[in-house]
Amino acid sequence: MKKLFLVFGMITCMLGLTACGQTAASVDYGVTEEQVIQYADTIVSTVDQIVADGATAQYAEDEVISAALASYESAQPEMGDLTDIKDHEVTMGHDGITIIVTVAGSIRDAKVEILMDQDLMLTSITTNVEYSFGEIMKKAGLNTLMGMGTVFAVLILIIFVISSFSYIPKIQAMFSKKEETAKQAAPTTGPDKAIAQIIENEEENDDTELVAAIAAAIAAYEGSGSTDGYVVRSIRRRR
């Protein structure tokens, strides 16, 4: 398969030798349009043969040829097999030569665009499938529907999120009520009951000490040395 691209090299060398002494400003590369067309046809046939043989991996190191093979291979499922070369469009400009080759495929036609620089070296080869007006409109309609569908789906999601905001205070109130109920519930068993009992005992002990202190104060005020004659019947805390 590498012999096929040796033909590329030979043709390029021939075109380069013919173009010696020419300037880019003259837009005269020293080659005829027929020579350029013949060169383009050779490139298209070679690329098609390499893709058909599944030998694209052999040219992975060449960026231009590798990209050309990838472009042609990706277009082939919609283009089909190459059946004929229909037309050529050659443009010799100040920046190089552009050749657009219209090829006929078993499914659709395609255009192979070949670019060469001022030294007649290949810089790019791309393959673009040609779609009918109906196919283009169909794709445009599908893209439009997909875009509108995405927009409406996002809007519906936003509406759902905004509408759910009204339930957030209710949920918070529900959880707050449960926490208050849990705090108000008295412990009945387990460690909580023991803790509550300890607190109650401490409160009773505090009241006993308070009664003794009050009785002692009254005895001292009355001038009595003993508190046996005094009985404190009740103690009320002032709030």
Side-chain angles (χ1 to χ4, degrees):
M1 190 57 59
K2 291 185 179 180
K3 292 181 180 179
L4 295 173
F5 273 98
L6 289 176
V7 177
F8 280 175
M10 293 175 63
I11 295 175
T12 304
C13 290
M14 292 173 62
L15 293 176
L17 291 173
T18 309
C20 288
Q22 303 295 332
T23 62
S26 65
V27 198
D28 183 3
Y29 293 95
V31 293
T32 64
E33 186 172 325
E34 288 74 14
Q35 288 177 315
V36 173
I37 290 173
Q38 184 179 1
Y39 180 50
D41 290 348
T42 304
I43 291 176
V44 172
S45 300
T46 305
V47 169
D48 180 74
Q49 187 64 41
I50 294 172
V51 172
D53 293 342
T56 57
Q58 299 180 13
Y59 305 93
E61 296 181 357
D62 191 317
E63 293 183 2
V64 175
I65 301 303
S66 178
L69 295 173
S71 177
Y72 189 88
E73 191 173 22
S74 63
Q76 199 169 39
E78 297 185 356
M79 180 185 73
D81 297 330
L82 178 65
T83 58
D84 190 18
I85 296 177
K86 299 172 64 175
D87 193 14
H88 303 82
E89 182 181 343
V90 180
T91 303
M92 296 185 181
H94 292 283
D95 297 330
I97 300 176
T98 301
I99 314 113
I100 298 177
V101 184
T102 303
V103 298
S106 58
I107 302 175
R108 297 181 183 87
D109 292 349
K111 289 185 180 294
V112 181
E113 184 179 25
I114 303 169
L115 302 180
M116 292 189 292
D117 60 15
Q118 298 174 359
D119 297 323
L120 302 180
M121 299 297 294
L122 285 172
T123 58
S124 175
I125 304 173
T126 56
T127 304
N128 301 306
V129 179
E130 287 191 308
Y131 298 97
S132 64
F133 179 77
E135 290 174 328
I136 294 174
M137 293 303 295
K138 181 179 179 181
K139 284 191 173 184
L142 290 175
N143 291 335
T144 302
L145 289 175
M146 185 177 296
M148 292 178 63
T150 303
V151 171
F152 279 109
V154 173
L155 289 175
I156 292 172
L157 179 61
I158 292 174
I159 292 172
F160 174 76
V161 172
I162 293 175
S163 63
S164 64
F165 287 167
S166 60
Y167 296 99
I168 294 177
K170 297 179 180 179
I171 296 174
Q172 290 179 340
M174 181 178 65
F175 280 107
S176 299
K177 187 175 181 180
K178 287 183 178 179
E179 291 177 359
E180 291 177 359
T181 303
K183 290 179 181 179
Q184 293 175 358
T188 56
T189 58
D192 293 339
K193 182 178 180 180
I195 293 171
Q197 186 66 38
I198 292 171
I199 294 173
E200 183 178 354
N201 293 336
E202 288 181 354
E203 290 179 351
E204 291 179 357
N205 292 334
D206 292 342
D207 291 342
T208 302
E209 293 175 359
L210 182 60
V211 168
I214 292 173
I218 294 173
Y221 179 76
E222 295 291 338
S224 174
S226 174
T227 60
D228 294 338
Y230 303 100
V231 178
V232 178
R233 301 186 180 278
S234 65
I235 299 175
R236 294 182 180 178
R237 295 181 183 272
R238 298 187 64 183
R239 299 180 180 232

